[in-house]
């Protein structure tokens, strides 16, 4: 082995080791926290934890039944309203919309995505809680659904755009209408693509989970200011993808996300 | 819509050459029933634009029933664009414009419902594009959406289509497995079978063998020859030997223009235009 090759292999090994150590440190923090929680909390996990109401401060016992049930109600209501609206809006953006209107919808969705949770909370308070004279799962669910809509819309759009143009054309060329193509080929293909591709491209899996999980996480964990510390849409692949496409366009790479684009 | 015809287009064309300096004078036709009796599909003075890019210039061409027509030419010459206009699949692209007239059985394809045109004029693409479904579901997709299952057994349609595409023997034991389990050549034949399942009158193939090995290519070529009794075939190909092997007539495109359309023998042995001869002999392209 020449001196040059020895040097290159040494650098390779050092960098691999360094990155491995950093990865281990990152994961170990999570494991330490989890281990601490399990060590101290496991003994408190029993049937009462899931079925009883909390006891007043200072008293031993009780459970979190109200929080568990309330969370389920809020998530269910939010999903009933937010997911279908976001999903169909995403389909519109990816498949039907004109350039200018879509750009406006995307901009608005990203803007809504970046609105601090507290603002959406105040909106729900004003529109639902005050007229109803009490807090309710409905008010929480509607606030959460407002957060779900832009995220679901942009994620759905991104998933659908990942489906190759050739797949769309394959269905259209058989005499399918556009809606039939979307419902019977594009959406199933996007799901298939996610299942088979997310192993290679984990951001897709994360993005799908994010659509439902992240806004819920903010409310369920009462971390409503969490979003405010992030740049608008910073969490989401869809935003990065828009930037990627702009960058590609600037570099002359074109903006069409499909595999084969327009044939000439 | 431009409605013109060129008198030298009658089949079998000895040769139809593009001559910019000596353009044949167009004669007006009445309505859209202007095609000759034997032409299944006919394009007259077709111009196509991608935004401001003029991709096709006054292309006029006839496709005879139960014949194979090959479209050849260098990359970017407009042959795929022309093919994609024949079943209006180019309408899925934004910011495009078609001028001229394309008729199917003498009737302007713009007068048909778009789904009807695409059912009657099937298409197979460059890369195999099976749906993420089973082989069975892929084949039955077209008949199902077109309401063709009434009175016919789905299994019958699947078997018939796979047999027509010479894939039955290889696929009969795994009909309910994913289409992605097939090899590239088998997937392309599955796409042909899928297109055949809706009984198209015309089958358009856009470089169907470009991603396949020679054995799979040979199978598809045999298939095309056997299929021409059942439908009219138009194939875009970069492979001139393939055009010579399977096509009855061949059209040569260059820079968005149809330079020459004639019997395949004529094109390869005695082309009328110098550009065709240069291309055939490998002097450019």
């Amino acid at each position: 082995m020449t001196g040059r090759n020895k040097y290159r292999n040494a650098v390779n090994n050092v960098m691999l080791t360094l990155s491995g150590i950093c990865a281990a440190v990152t994961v170990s923090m999570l494991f330490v926290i989890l281990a601490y929680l399990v060590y101290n909390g496991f003994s408190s996990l029993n049937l009462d934890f899931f079925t009883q109401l909390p006891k007043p401060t200072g008293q031993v016992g009780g459970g979190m039944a109200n929080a568990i049930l309330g969370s389920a109600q809020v998530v269910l209501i939010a999903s009933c309203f937010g997911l279908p609206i976001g999903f169909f809006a995403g389909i519109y953006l990816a498949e039907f919309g004109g350039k200018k209107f879509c750009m406006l919808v995307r901009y608005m969705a990203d803007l809504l995505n970046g609105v601090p949770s507290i603002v959406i909370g105040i909106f729900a308070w004003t529109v639902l809680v005050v007229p109803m004279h009490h807090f309710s799962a409905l008010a929480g669910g509607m606030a959460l659904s407002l957060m779900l809509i832009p995220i679901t819309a942009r994620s759905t759009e991104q998933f659908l755009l990942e489906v190759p143009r050739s797949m769309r054309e394959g269905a259209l060329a058989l005499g399918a209408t556009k809606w039939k193509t979307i419902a019977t080929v594009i959406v199933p293909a996007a799901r298939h693509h996610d299942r088979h591709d997310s192993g290679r491209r984990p951001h897709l899996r994360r993005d799908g989970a994010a659509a439902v999980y992240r806004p819920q996480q903010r409310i369920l964990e009462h971390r409503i200011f969490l979003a405010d510390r992030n740049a608008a849409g910073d969490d989401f692949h869809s935003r990065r993808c828009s930037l990627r496409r702009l960058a590609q366009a600037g570099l002359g790479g074109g903006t069409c996300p499909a595999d084969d684009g327009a044939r000439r | 819509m431009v409605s013109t015809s060129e008198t030298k287009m009658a089949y079998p064309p000895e040769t139809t050459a593009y001559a910019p300096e000596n353009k044949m004078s167009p004669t007006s036709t009445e309505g859209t029933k202007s095609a000759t009796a034997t032409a299944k599909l006919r394009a007259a003075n077709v111009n196509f634009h991608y935004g401001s890019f003029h991709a096709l210039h006054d292309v006029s061409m006839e496709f005879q029933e139960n014949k194979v027509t090959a479209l050849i030419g260098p990359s970017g010459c407009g042959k795929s664009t022309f093919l994609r206009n024949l079943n209006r699949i180019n309408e899925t692209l934004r910011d495009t414009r078609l001028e001229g007239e394309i008729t199917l059985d003498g009737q302007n394809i713009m007068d048909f419902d778009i789904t009807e045109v695409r059912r009657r004029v099937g298409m197979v693409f460059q890369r195999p594009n099976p749906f993420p479904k089973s082989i069975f579901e892929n084949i039955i997709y077209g008949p199902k959406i077109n309401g063709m299952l009434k009175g016919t057994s789905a299994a019958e349609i699947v078997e018939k289509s796979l047999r027509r595409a010479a894939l039955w023997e290889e696929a009969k034991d795994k009909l309910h497995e994913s289409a992605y389990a097939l090899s590239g050549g088998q997937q392309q034949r599955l796409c042909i079978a899928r297109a055949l399942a809706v009984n198209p009158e015309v089958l358009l193939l856009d470089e169907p063998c470009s991603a396949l090995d020679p054995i799979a290519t040979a199978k598809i070529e045999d298939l095309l020859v056997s299929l021409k009794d059942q439908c009219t075939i138009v194939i875009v190909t970069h492979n001139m030997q393939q055009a010579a092997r399977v096509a009855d007539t061949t059209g040569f495109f260059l820079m968005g223009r149809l330079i020459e359309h004639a019997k395949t023998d004529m094109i390869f042995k005695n082309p009328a235009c110098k550009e065709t001869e240069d291309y055939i002999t490998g002097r450019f392209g």
Side-chain angles (χ1 to χ4, degrees):
Chain A
M1 193 183 283
T2 63
R4 169 81 183 149
N5 281 344
K6 276 182 187 168
Y7 171 74
R8 289 175 65 192
N9 284 337
V11 170
N12 189 42
N13 291 335
V14 167
M15 296 314 288
L16 279 179
T17 310
L18 268 179
S19 58
I21 291 170
C22 290
V25 168
T26 309
V27 174
S28 64
M29 289 299 137
L30 179 67
F31 279 113
V32 167
I33 293 167
L34 279 176
Y36 182 82
L37 276 176
V38 171
Y39 180 76
N40 288 293
F42 189 74
S43 57
S44 303
L45 273 184
N46 51 32
L47 191 62
D48 284 353
F49 180 82
F50 297 100
T51 56
Q52 298 296 313
L53 292 175
K55 290 270 174 70
T57 313
Q59 287 189 29
V60 179
M64 294 185 69
N66 60 334
I68 292 169
L69 192 65
S71 298
Q73 284 177 334
V74 167
V75 169
L76 186 70
I77 291 168
S79 301
C80 286
F81 288 99
L83 289 182
I85 294 173
F87 178 69
F88 285 105
I91 288 180
Y92 180 84
L93 287 175
E95 304 289 340
F96 290 106
K99 258 185 194 170
K100 284 181 183 167
F101 184 63
C102 274
M103 193 183 283
L104 183 72
V105 174
R106 274 187 208 105
Y107 183 71
M108 290 299 169
D110 288 347
L111 212 60
L112 186 59
N113 205 7
V115 171
S117 313
I118 184 76
V119 174
I120 290 176
I122 291 169
F123 176 74
W125 166 277
T126 312
V127 173
L128 289 168
V129 176
V130 172
M132 291 165 78
H133 303 295
H134 60 83
F135 290 105
S136 64
L138 181 68
M142 294 310 285
L144 183 58
S145 73
L146 270 183
M147 295 182 197
L148 268 179
I149 289 170
I151 301 165
T152 311
R154 297 291 266 137
S155 299
T156 303
E157 181 195 7
Q158 199 53 46
F159 279 127
L160 296 183
L161 290 177
E162 296 273 350
V163 176
R165 176 185 288 280
S166 59
M167 196 85 79
R168 285 175 177 75
E169 292 184 339
L172 292 170
L174 289 168
T177 58
K178 199 163 183 181
W179 172 247
K180 200 80 182 171
T181 301
I182 292 165
T184 58
V185 173
I186 306 302
V187 172
R191 286 172 56 200
H192 182 272
H193 188 75
D194 180 35
R195 263 203 320 276
H196 289 258
D197 211 48
S198 54
R200 277 173 280 148
R201 293 194 281 169
H203 62 267
L204 286 178
R205 185 188 296 263
R206 199 196 70 170
D207 200 28
V212 178
Y213 175 67
R214 287 187 184 275
Q216 293 168 0
Q217 180 194 32
R218 288 183 208 161
I219 284 189
L220 297 182
E221 297 179 5
H222 304 283
R223 293 158 65 196
I224 52 177
F225 295 105
L226 186 68
D228 311 347
R229 292 201 293 271
N230 297 332
D234 191 39
D235 288 342
F236 306 109
H237 168 62
S238 53
R239 167 60 65 90
R240 289 202 308 277
C241 217
S242 304
L243 290 173
R244 190 189 71 197
R245 270 188 257 148
L246 281 173
Q248 279 177 342
L251 294 168
T255 55
C256 181
D259 61 340
D260 45 4
R263 304 285 321 284
R264 287 187 177 179
Chain B
M1 284 288 166
V2 181
S3 181
T4 59
S5 69
E6 293 179 357
T7 51
K8 286 184 79 176
M9 294 301 291
Y11 184 82
E14 279 307 305
T15 183
T16 303
Y18 170 75
E21 71 284 0
N22 184 25
K23 259 196 159 178
M24 288 170 279
S25 58
T27 54
S28 75
T29 57
E30 288 178 18
T32 54
K33 295 272 182 186
S34 56
T36 54
T38 52
K40 182 74 185 171
L41 196 59
R42 179 175 172 275
N45 289 75
V46 168
N47 284 272
F48 189 77
H49 302 256
Y50 290 106
S52 59
F53 177 71
H54 194 167
L56 290 177
H57 300 259
D58 288 322
V59 176
S60 297
M61 202 169 180
E62 286 184 357
F63 301 95
Q64 306 305 318
E65 195 157 14
N66 301 120
K67 299 284 178 195
V68 179
T69 304
L71 305 180
I72 60 169
S75 296
C77 68
K79 51 194 188 304
S80 286
T81 296
F82 178 65
L83 187 86
R84 290 165 58 88
N85 279 318
L86 298 178
N87 70 343
R88 296 174 60 184
I89 203 80
N90 263 347
E91 287 181 23
T92 59
L93 303 176
R94 283 179 184 163
D95 201 18
T96 57
R97 186 158 49 90
L98 172 70
E99 293 161 1
E101 184 184 71
I102 299 169
T103 56
L104 177 65
D105 285 333
Q107 195 176 351
N108 194 326
I109 59 170
M110 293 298 173
D111 297 339
F112 289 104
D113 183 80
I114 194 163
T115 56
E116 174 71 4
V117 176
R118 290 175 181 162
R119 191 198 64 73
R120 292 178 63 183
V121 184
M123 189 164 197
V124 175
F125 297 84
Q126 188 172 7
R127 288 184 192 167
N129 57 350
F131 303 141
K133 300 171 186 285
S134 69
I135 295 169
F136 188 92
E137 287 168 324
N138 262 275
I139 302 287
I140 216 64
Y141 182 82
K144 209 176 187 177
I145 57 167
N146 286 293
M148 297 164 72
L149 287 178
K150 289 166 196 159
T152 320
S153 140
E156 228 169 75
I157 293 176
V158 170
E159 181 175 346
K160 188 180 163 198
S161 304
L162 287 172
R163 281 190 190 282
R164 286 171 79 187
L167 190 61
W168 174 249
E169 290 304 323
E170 292 157 75
K172 66 182 178 187
D173 296 326
K174 42 185 175 184
L175 290 178
H176 296 285
E177 287 179 25
S178 167
Y180 294 131
L182 298 173
S183 71
Q186 289 172 329
Q187 284 187 16
Q188 191 65 306
R189 274 182 285 149
L190 174 67
C191 293
I192 295 175
R194 191 177 66 188
L196 292 174
V198 292
N199 292 322
E201 296 158 37
V202 180
L203 188 60
L204 311 175
L205 300 107
D206 188 359
E207 298 181 50
C209 303
S210 64
L212 306 182
D213 65 39
I215 296 169
T217 300
K219 282 186 180 174
I220 291 194
E221 286 178 9
D222 291 343
L223 176 62
L224 294 185
V225 173
S226 68
L227 281 177
K228 74 175 180 179
D229 291 339
Q230 301 156 41
C231 57
T232 305
I233 293 173
V234 186
I235 178 172
V236 164
T237 179
H238 272 294
N239 184 335
M240 283 183 280
Q241 287 76 26
Q242 184 173 64
R245 282 192 296 264
V246 303
D248 298 296
T249 68
T250 298
F252 171 60
F253 279 74
L254 185 64
M255 295 173 73
R257 291 185 162 84
L258 176 65
I259 301 296
E260 191 173 349
H261 178 207
K263 282 185 175 175
T264 301
D265 276 357
M266 290 285 288
I267 287 278
F268 286 98
K269 289 178 185 165
N270 188 21
C273 294
K274 189 174 180 312
E275 291 95 330
T276 315
E277 189 181 346
D278 287 348
Y279 184 72
I280 301 291
T281 53
R283 286 190 202 126
F284 71 87

